[in-house]
Amino acid sequence: CVLRSSTDQQYSYSISGDEVTLLGEGDLHDKKYDSLGRTFKANLGMTKELLGEVDYLITYSLVVYPSQEFEDQYVTNRPAIYTTGAVLIFLFTAALFMIYDYLVEDRQQKTARLARQTGNIVDSMFPAAFRERLYKSHRKAPTSRRSSAASSGEFNRRGSEGDGTVQASNVTRYGKPR
C-alpha cells in the first residue's frame, strides 16, 4: 500500500496479515496492479463542519494495491484440476453405463437366439398337434413349479435308441433306481 499526504509525501508499506513493513519513501508498488488500487481518505473528521477552518491541515490517502504474492495465493490451477476430475468421473460413469448396456443387450440376444433354437428343435421333433398341446399345457402350468415328472427326475434324457427323445423311466434324479 502507498500512504500519500496532501504535501506530496509518499511512503510504501507491505501489509501481510497483522505485519506492516516499511518498504521505503516513494511509490514502490508493482505498476502492473495500478488499475486494481483502492483509495481510502483519512482526515481528522469526516465533515468540514467538524474540522472547522484550519489552515495548513494535512490530509492523507491510503492506496491499497495487490501484490504478486497475493495473486499467487488465489490464482491457482485448482479449478482446472477439479473440473478435470468431475469430467473424468462423468466419462467413467458413462463408460460403465455403456459397458453394462452392451452386456445386457448381448445377453438378451443370446437368450433370444437360444429360444429360437429351442423352438426350432421342438418344431422338428414333435408333430404340430402334439406341439400345440405341449405349449398349451405349459402355459396353463404355474411358472414357479415344474411338472412333478420333471422335478422328480422321472424322465430319462436319452431314449433307448439314443435318438435324443424323452422317455419316462424308473430312474431318479440322481441316477439311482427306485
Side-chain angles (χ1 to χ4, degrees), residues 127-178:
F130 181 73
R131 187 173 56 238
E132 290 301 320
R133 284 194 340 219
L134 182 64
Y135 283 148
K136 287 180 184 175
S137 69
H138 179 67
R139 286 185 198 133
K140 290 179 185 175
T143 57
S144 63
R145 293 183 182 178
R146 292 185 290 175
S147 68
S148 62
S151 64
S152 65
E154 293 179 10
F155 291 108
N156 184 1
R157 289 288 176 206
R158 289 207 165 265
S160 58
E161 294 83 11
D163 60 358
T165 59
V166 178
Q167 296 178 350
S169 71
N170 281 336
V171 178
T172 64
R173 179 184 337 197
Y174 304 107
K176 296 180 182 175
R178 289 186 195 184

XYZ file of all heavy atoms in Angstrom, residues 127-178:
404
model
N -44.795 -83.509 -33.806
C -45.799 -83.121 -34.801
C -46.534 -81.865 -34.333
O -46.550 -81.533 -33.146
C -46.748 -84.310 -34.861
C -46.083 -85.412 -34.113
C -45.025 -84.824 -33.266
N -47.146 -81.163 -35.252
C -47.794 -79.884 -34.960
C -48.871 -80.022 -33.891
O -48.968 -79.193 -32.984
C -48.373 -79.289 -36.226
N -49.704 -81.063 -33.936
C -50.797 -81.220 -32.964
C -50.233 -81.457 -31.569
O -50.697 -80.853 -30.584
C -51.707 -82.368 -33.381
N -49.230 -82.325 -31.451
C -48.642 -82.607 -30.151
C -47.928 -81.371 -29.602
O -47.979 -81.072 -28.422
C -47.662 -83.787 -30.272
C -47.020 -84.165 -28.974
C -47.743 -84.818 -27.985
C -45.696 -83.834 -28.721
C -47.152 -85.152 -26.787
C -45.108 -84.154 -27.521
C -45.835 -84.826 -26.549
N -47.272 -80.649 -30.481
C -46.552 -79.445 -30.090
C -47.511 -78.401 -29.518
O -47.236 -77.777 -28.510
C -45.803 -78.894 -31.304
C -44.893 -77.754 -30.993
C -44.044 -77.347 -32.177
N -44.823 -77.012 -33.340
C -44.719 -77.593 -34.528
N -43.844 -78.558 -34.711
N -45.463 -77.223 -35.537
N -48.664 -78.225 -30.170
C -49.650 -77.263 -29.677
C -50.163 -77.671 -28.299
O -50.328 -76.839 -27.420
C -50.806 -77.135 -30.673
C -50.435 -76.441 -31.958
C -49.910 -75.040 -31.720
O -50.446 -74.315 -30.860
O -48.912 -74.685 -32.391
N -50.418 -78.959 -28.083
C -50.867 -79.419 -26.765
C -49.775 -79.185 -25.715
O -50.055 -78.807 -24.593
C -51.232 -80.903 -26.817
C -52.549 -81.158 -27.466
C -53.084 -82.550 -27.238
N -52.083 -83.519 -26.849
C -52.026 -84.765 -27.241
N -52.936 -85.217 -28.074
N -51.102 -85.585 -26.823
N -48.529 -79.422 -26.106
C -47.419 -79.224 -25.187
C -47.307 -77.750 -24.787
O -47.142 -77.420 -23.612
C -46.115 -79.698 -25.842
C -44.845 -79.614 -24.999
C -44.956 -80.541 -23.797
C -43.635 -79.991 -25.841
N -47.415 -76.849 -25.774
C -47.354 -75.405 -25.474
C -48.520 -74.972 -24.599
O -48.366 -74.197 -23.660
C -47.350 -74.592 -26.765
C -46.011 -74.566 -27.485
C -45.961 -74.489 -28.863
C -44.825 -74.602 -26.789
C -44.749 -74.471 -29.540
C -43.607 -74.578 -27.446
C -43.575 -74.511 -28.817
O -42.376 -74.464 -29.477
N -49.727 -75.486 -24.890
C -50.904 -75.114 -24.090
C -50.776 -75.605 -22.662
O -51.113 -74.906 -21.721
C -52.175 -75.659 -24.734
C -52.583 -74.917 -25.977
C -53.843 -75.507 -26.569
C -54.186 -74.807 -27.883
N -55.334 -75.422 -28.539
N -50.293 -76.826 -22.473
C -50.151 -77.347 -21.109
C -49.073 -76.575 -20.355
O -49.168 -76.374 -19.155
C -49.824 -78.832 -21.138
O -48.521 -79.036 -21.655
N -48.064 -76.135 -21.074
C -47.008 -75.359 -20.423
C -47.514 -73.977 -20.014
O -47.159 -73.457 -18.965
C -45.799 -75.221 -21.356
C -44.687 -74.425 -20.752
N -43.973 -74.874 -19.673
C -44.184 -73.203 -21.057
C -43.081 -73.973 -19.343
N -43.172 -72.946 -20.172
N -48.375 -73.381 -20.804
C -48.936 -72.063 -20.471
C -49.872 -72.137 -19.282
O -49.961 -71.208 -18.492
C -49.680 -71.487 -21.674
C -48.762 -71.004 -22.747
C -49.524 -70.331 -23.855
N -48.704 -70.267 -25.041
C -49.088 -70.593 -26.251
N -50.325 -70.992 -26.449
N -48.280 -70.525 -27.267
N -50.597 -73.257 -19.145
C -51.544 -73.402 -18.039
C -50.833 -73.731 -16.731
O -51.324 -73.420 -15.665
C -52.563 -74.510 -18.354
C -53.520 -74.130 -19.459
C -54.461 -75.264 -19.730
C -55.364 -74.943 -20.923
N -56.213 -76.050 -21.287
N -49.678 -74.377 -16.787
C -48.949 -74.769 -15.574
C -48.365 -73.538 -14.914
O -47.917 -72.621 -15.593
C -47.847 -75.755 -15.933
N -48.366 -73.485 -13.571
C -47.758 -72.338 -12.889
C -46.257 -72.289 -13.197
O -45.596 -73.309 -13.269
C -48.011 -72.594 -11.409
C -48.637 -73.935 -11.295
C -48.943 -74.450 -12.660
N -45.758 -71.101 -13.324
C -44.358 -70.930 -13.713
C -43.409 -71.199 -12.559
O -42.252 -71.503 -12.779
C -44.117 -69.499 -14.241
O -44.515 -68.600 -13.228
C -44.866 -69.260 -15.514
N -43.882 -71.102 -11.323
C -42.976 -71.305 -10.200
C -42.710 -72.785 -9.947
O -41.743 -73.132 -9.309
C -43.535 -70.639 -8.940
O -44.757 -71.240 -8.595
N -43.591 -73.675 -10.430
C -43.406 -75.104 -10.239
C -43.262 -75.776 -11.600
O -43.938 -75.424 -12.545
C -44.624 -75.725 -9.560
C -44.830 -75.286 -8.154
C -45.998 -76.033 -7.625
N -46.290 -75.629 -6.268
C -47.288 -76.114 -5.583
N -48.104 -76.974 -6.121
N -47.487 -75.721 -4.349
N -42.404 -76.766 -11.624
C -42.322 -77.576 -12.829
C -43.234 -78.775 -12.638
O -43.707 -79.053 -11.538
C -40.881 -78.035 -13.049
C -39.969 -76.866 -13.388
C -38.607 -77.334 -13.718
N -37.961 -77.829 -12.484
C -36.786 -78.398 -12.454
N -36.115 -78.560 -13.546
N -36.277 -78.815 -11.321
N -43.468 -79.479 -13.689
C -44.333 -80.658 -13.546
C -43.681 -81.640 -12.597
O -42.465 -81.692 -12.460
C -44.575 -81.303 -14.916
O -43.374 -81.867 -15.392
N -44.474 -82.471 -11.955
C -43.931 -83.388 -10.960
C -42.998 -84.397 -11.598
O -42.030 -84.817 -10.992
C -45.075 -84.098 -10.228
O -45.826 -84.860 -11.180
N -43.258 -84.769 -12.844
C -42.377 -85.737 -13.507
C -41.009 -85.110 -13.767
O -39.981 -85.733 -13.552
C -42.996 -86.195 -14.823
N -40.980 -83.859 -14.181
C -39.703 -83.217 -14.477
C -38.936 -82.918 -13.205
O -37.726 -83.050 -13.154
C -39.930 -81.935 -15.268
N -39.646 -82.519 -12.123
C -38.947 -82.169 -10.894
C -38.471 -83.391 -10.144
O -37.495 -83.327 -9.419
C -39.846 -81.311 -10.001
O -40.970 -82.063 -9.608
N -39.123 -84.529 -10.294
C -38.672 -85.715 -9.583
C -37.653 -86.502 -10.372
O -37.138 -87.496 -9.909
C -39.869 -86.603 -9.232
O -40.452 -87.089 -10.434
N -37.393 -86.091 -11.612
C -36.374 -86.762 -12.411
C -36.869 -88.042 -13.046
O -36.083 -88.964 -13.245
N -38.159 -88.169 -13.335
C -38.689 -89.400 -13.895
C -38.421 -89.521 -15.384
O -38.744 -90.541 -15.977
C -40.198 -89.476 -13.655
C -40.543 -89.632 -12.191
C -42.037 -89.676 -11.968
O -42.777 -89.770 -12.955
O -42.452 -89.609 -10.819
N -37.880 -88.533 -16.009
C -37.602 -88.602 -17.435
C -36.134 -88.891 -17.661
O -35.272 -88.293 -17.037
C -37.971 -87.296 -18.141
C -39.446 -87.057 -18.199
C -40.037 -86.090 -17.415
C -40.238 -87.818 -19.037
C -41.379 -85.880 -17.477
C -41.595 -87.603 -19.094
C -42.163 -86.631 -18.311
N -35.882 -89.791 -18.557
C -34.518 -90.086 -18.963
C -34.274 -89.282 -20.227
O -35.054 -89.368 -21.167
C -34.381 -91.593 -19.213
C -32.961 -91.981 -19.556
O -32.088 -91.131 -19.597
N -32.747 -93.271 -19.781
N -33.227 -88.531 -20.284
C -32.993 -87.628 -21.403
C -32.652 -88.375 -22.689
O -32.781 -87.852 -23.758
C -31.875 -86.648 -21.069
C -32.284 -85.632 -20.050
C -33.222 -84.667 -20.674
N -33.713 -83.725 -19.676
C -34.843 -83.104 -19.757
N -35.624 -83.296 -20.760
N -35.216 -82.268 -18.829
N -32.198 -89.586 -22.632
C -31.883 -90.345 -23.845
C -32.857 -91.515 -23.959
O -33.116 -92.210 -23.000
C -30.476 -90.903 -23.782
C -29.423 -89.841 -23.916
C -28.219 -90.536 -24.491
N -27.272 -89.566 -24.979
C -27.208 -89.154 -26.235
N -28.010 -89.619 -27.136
N -26.309 -88.286 -26.593
N -33.353 -91.654 -25.100
C -34.239 -92.802 -25.341
C -33.419 -94.066 -25.468
O -32.197 -94.061 -25.473
N -34.095 -95.184 -25.594
C -33.387 -96.453 -25.705
C -32.592 -96.533 -27.000
O -31.587 -97.212 -27.076
C -34.379 -97.620 -25.604
O -35.348 -97.481 -26.639
N -33.032 -95.807 -28.012
C -32.307 -95.832 -29.280
C -31.202 -94.782 -29.296
O -30.442 -94.716 -30.254
C -33.261 -95.572 -30.466
C -34.293 -96.665 -30.688
C -35.508 -96.505 -29.795
O -35.650 -95.440 -29.165
O -36.301 -97.426 -29.699
N -31.125 -93.911 -28.293
C -30.105 -92.879 -28.274
C -30.398 -91.754 -29.248
O -29.489 -91.076 -29.686
N -31.679 -91.563 -29.598
C -32.026 -90.550 -30.592
C -32.379 -89.196 -29.981
O -32.812 -88.304 -30.691
C -33.179 -91.039 -31.469
C -34.428 -91.335 -30.652
O -34.380 -91.203 -29.412
O -35.454 -91.696 -31.259
N -32.222 -89.023 -28.678
C -32.479 -87.734 -28.052
C -33.929 -87.525 -27.663
O -34.291 -86.456 -27.219
N -34.804 -88.514 -27.797
C -36.193 -88.342 -27.398
C -36.299 -88.502 -25.897
O -35.457 -89.128 -25.259
C -37.104 -89.368 -28.095
O -36.648 -90.671 -27.757
C -37.088 -89.176 -29.606
N -37.364 -87.978 -25.343
C -37.573 -88.024 -23.902
C -38.496 -89.181 -23.598
O -39.579 -89.294 -24.175
C -38.181 -86.697 -23.394
C -38.437 -86.773 -21.907
C -37.255 -85.555 -23.735
N -38.050 -90.052 -22.692
C -38.875 -91.188 -22.296
C -38.899 -91.275 -20.788
O -37.934 -90.925 -20.131
C -38.305 -92.493 -22.865
C -38.321 -92.553 -24.372
C -37.706 -93.850 -24.873
O -37.110 -94.597 -24.104
N -37.872 -94.114 -26.147
N -40.018 -91.763 -20.255
C -40.130 -91.959 -18.819
C -39.339 -93.190 -18.422
O -39.202 -94.130 -19.191
C -41.590 -92.126 -18.421
N -38.784 -93.174 -17.226
C -38.045 -94.341 -16.735
C -38.214 -94.415 -15.234
O -38.791 -93.536 -14.615
C -36.571 -94.240 -17.106
O -35.955 -93.233 -16.338
N -37.692 -95.449 -14.666
C -37.747 -95.634 -13.221
C -36.453 -95.193 -12.557
O -36.075 -95.690 -11.522
C -38.013 -97.102 -12.875
C -39.472 -97.455 -13.044
O -40.322 -96.571 -12.972
N -39.744 -98.714 -13.287
N -35.769 -94.268 -13.140
C -34.518 -93.777 -12.579
C -34.787 -92.418 -11.928
O -35.449 -91.578 -12.506
C -33.435 -93.647 -13.694
C -32.154 -93.088 -13.089
C -33.205 -94.980 -14.351
N -34.284 -92.232 -10.703
C -34.488 -90.966 -10.008
C -33.546 -89.913 -10.563
O -32.721 -90.192 -11.422
C -34.220 -91.138 -8.494
O -32.856 -91.485 -8.325
C -35.124 -92.181 -7.889
N -33.677 -88.753 -10.042
C -32.884 -87.612 -10.495
C -31.388 -87.873 -10.340
O -30.578 -87.401 -11.098
C -33.281 -86.379 -9.692
C -32.533 -85.152 -10.051
C -32.857 -83.971 -9.212
N -34.144 -84.036 -8.570
C -34.786 -83.017 -8.054
N -34.253 -81.837 -8.119
N -35.943 -83.155 -7.470
N -31.006 -88.637 -9.351
C -29.593 -88.857 -9.058
C -29.065 -90.121 -9.705
O -27.976 -90.572 -9.401
C -29.374 -88.894 -7.552
C -29.879 -87.629 -6.903
C -31.045 -87.654 -6.163
C -29.212 -86.416 -7.090
C -31.508 -86.470 -5.601
C -29.688 -85.270 -6.522
C -30.841 -85.303 -5.772
O -31.302 -84.141 -5.229
N -29.825 -90.717 -10.594
C -29.367 -91.887 -11.346
C -29.527 -93.186 -10.600
O -29.025 -94.216 -11.043
N -30.220 -93.225 -9.477
C -30.403 -94.468 -8.706
C -31.768 -95.047 -9.060
O -32.750 -94.319 -9.180
C -30.339 -94.157 -7.207
C -28.992 -93.636 -6.766
C -29.001 -93.357 -5.285
C -27.657 -92.792 -4.871
N -27.662 -92.412 -3.479
N -31.838 -96.365 -9.211
C -33.149 -96.971 -9.492
C -34.054 -96.859 -8.274
O -33.604 -96.812 -7.140
C -32.820 -98.423 -9.808
C -31.382 -98.621 -9.508
C -30.756 -97.304 -9.225
N -35.359 -96.877 -8.546
C -36.330 -96.793 -7.458
C -36.588 -98.119 -6.853
O -36.586 -99.135 -7.392
C -37.639 -96.229 -7.978
C -37.486 -94.819 -8.275
C -38.813 -94.304 -8.622
N -38.627 -93.015 -9.263
C -39.543 -92.233 -9.635
N -40.783 -92.560 -9.474
N -39.299 -91.109 -10.188
